[in-house]
Amino acid sequence: MIGAGNLATNLGKALQSAGHDIIQVYSRTWEHAQQLATLIGGAATDNVDNIVSTGDVYIFSLKDSVLGDIIPRVAKGKSDKLFIHTAGSMPMSCFEGMALHYGVLYPMQTFSKEREVDFKTIPCFIEANDKYAYEMLRGLAESISDRVIELSSDDRRYLHLAAVWGCNFVNHCYEVCAEILRQHGLPFDVMLPLIDETAAKVHELPPAKAQTGPAIRFDENVIRAQANLMRGNPMLKDLYERMSLSIHDTAIKNERKKGDE
């Protein structure tokens, strides 16, 4: 395991539970490497040059910005092994010229070290450069997930973009919500039933049909009043107004589509 962050921790635990032997864990921070190695087995190292050559598969779970520097150092003398990265936006070709067999295993989920996840329910998107890599990678993915989908690097970029909208931006909205409540002496947990129902609805309805609120009907009085409440934070006020406009424009377009059908 090359990396010991949120994704690496959850993936490593899933692989270990599925019966795979973790030989080594690398992190540039010794404490992080040691913590993960203690959880999933194998030796810990914080030195790239000490990564052993006895593994069958090398899984890179690192920031995109460091992959280009670390891949050639790890691949040296191991070009016949299988190299995999787990990034949403990095192309598979980042291994080209440094390894014979390589691919991508992208588990589409939000991960935190502190939270256990059921990997079997997580869609895992894979891509491989040759038959050997594909068979190895698919077998690895199917051992931890019940939903394995082949996807190209180009399409995965858009999948990752969609995930940012559906997860990261949504969570930021929770953070803004929590701060507004905090400023007025209200606990965030009053929002949990609303949040849970909003998420549950899209299991049964398409998001367009699940949308409610003042923006979809463009209730200008409410929108103007609420935007005015945020005048102390121009960036959030602008986001509120733009999001409201986007919701309303999308609703109009959806109505036109229904009329054309």
Side-chain angles (χ1 to χ4, degrees), residues 149-215:
I149 303 164
E150 192 173 357
L151 193 70
S152 70
S153 287
D154 189 54
D155 287 334
R156 185 169 19 88
R157 291 184 306 149
Y158 290 97
L159 176 70
H160 191 206
L161 172 62
V164 167
W165 275 98
C167 173
N168 307 129
F169 288 176
V170 170
N171 191 73
H172 179 63
C173 290
Y174 296 158
E175 187 177 5
V176 173
C177 166
E179 179 58 19
I180 292 170
L181 292 170
R182 187 195 65 78
Q183 289 176 5
H184 296 277
L186 292 166
F188 180 68
D189 64 9
V190 301
M191 285 290 167
L192 294 180
L194 176 63
I195 290 170
D196 292 343
E197 174 59 15
T198 303
K201 275 203 294 188
V202 294
H203 284 261
E204 300 176 11
L205 298 172
K209 287 191 176 181
Q211 186 70 56
T212 60

Side-chain angles (χ1 to χ4, degrees), residues 9-258:
T9 297
N10 283 274
L11 177 57
K13 287 162 71 174
L15 290 167
Q16 192 266 347
S17 295
H20 300 284
D21 293 323
I22 312 299
I23 294 173
Q24 194 175 38
V25 176
Y26 162 81
S27 173
R28 64 179 183 177
T29 305
W30 167 255
E31 291 79 9
H32 294 167
Q34 184 62 53
Q35 286 168 6
L36 184 52
T38 300
L39 280 175
I40 65 176
T45 184
D46 59 357
N47 187 338
V48 176
D49 299 322
N50 288 342
I51 293 175
V52 297
S53 59
T54 51
D56 297 312
V57 183
Y58 293 77
I59 302 176
F60 294 75
S61 291
L62 301 165
K63 291 193 300 184
D64 294 3
S65 58
V66 304
L67 279 174
D69 293 328
I70 202 168
I71 288 172
R73 295 178 66 185
V74 177
K76 188 176 180 181
K78 310 178 191 71
S79 62
D80 60 333
K81 309 293 184 169
L82 176 59
F83 288 80
I84 298 169
H85 76 65
T86 60
S89 293
M90 284 293 289
M92 178 178 67
S93 59
C94 64
F95 293 113
E96 197 170 329
M98 290 169 279
L100 296 175
H101 314 292
Y102 51 87
V104 178
L105 170 60
Y106 175 52
M108 197 183 66
Q109 182 55 281
T110 175
F111 295 105
S112 298
K113 289 183 181 181
E114 302 80 9
R115 281 187 60 83
E116 294 287 333
V117 294
D118 180 6
F119 232 93
K120 283 292 182 181
T121 67
I122 298 173
C124 287
F125 296 85
I126 65 170
E127 182 182 19
N129 77 310
D130 62 17
K131 184 178 179 181
Y132 172 81
Y134 176 80
E135 290 177 352
M136 284 277 287
L137 180 51
R138 185 158 199 105
L140 197 70
E142 288 180 344
S143 73
I144 59 173
S145 172
D146 289 335
R147 193 172 187 190
V148 178
I149 303 164
E150 192 173 357
L151 193 70
S152 70
S153 287
D154 189 54
D155 287 334
R156 185 169 19 88
R157 291 184 306 149
Y158 290 97
L159 176 70
H160 191 206
L161 172 62
V164 167
W165 275 98
C167 173
N168 307 129
F169 288 176
V170 170
N171 191 73
H172 179 63
C173 290
Y174 296 158
E175 187 177 5
V176 173
C177 166
E179 179 58 19
I180 292 170
L181 292 170
R182 187 195 65 78
Q183 289 176 5
H184 296 277
L186 292 166
F188 180 68
D189 64 9
V190 301
M191 285 290 167
L192 294 180
L194 176 63
I195 290 170
D196 292 343
E197 174 59 15
T198 303
K201 275 203 294 188
V202 294
H203 284 261
E204 300 176 11
L205 298 172
K209 287 191 176 181
Q211 186 70 56
T212 60
I216 195 169
R217 58 185 182 269
F218 209 70
D219 189 332
E220 292 187 69
N221 290 335
V222 174
I223 292 170
R224 191 180 300 113
Q226 290 190 338
N228 192 48
L229 291 175
M230 306 193 76
R231 62 188 180 277
N233 190 323
M235 181 182 290
L236 289 181
K237 181 176 182 291
D238 183 54
L239 282 173
Y240 175 91
E241 291 171 338
R242 288 175 182 269
M243 188 68 80
S244 296
L245 185 59
S246 178
I247 290 170
H248 185 63
D249 283 352
T250 300
I252 291 172
K253 290 174 184 175
N254 288 336
E255 283 299 316
R256 286 174 181 164
K257 284 180 185 176
K258 282 197 293 186

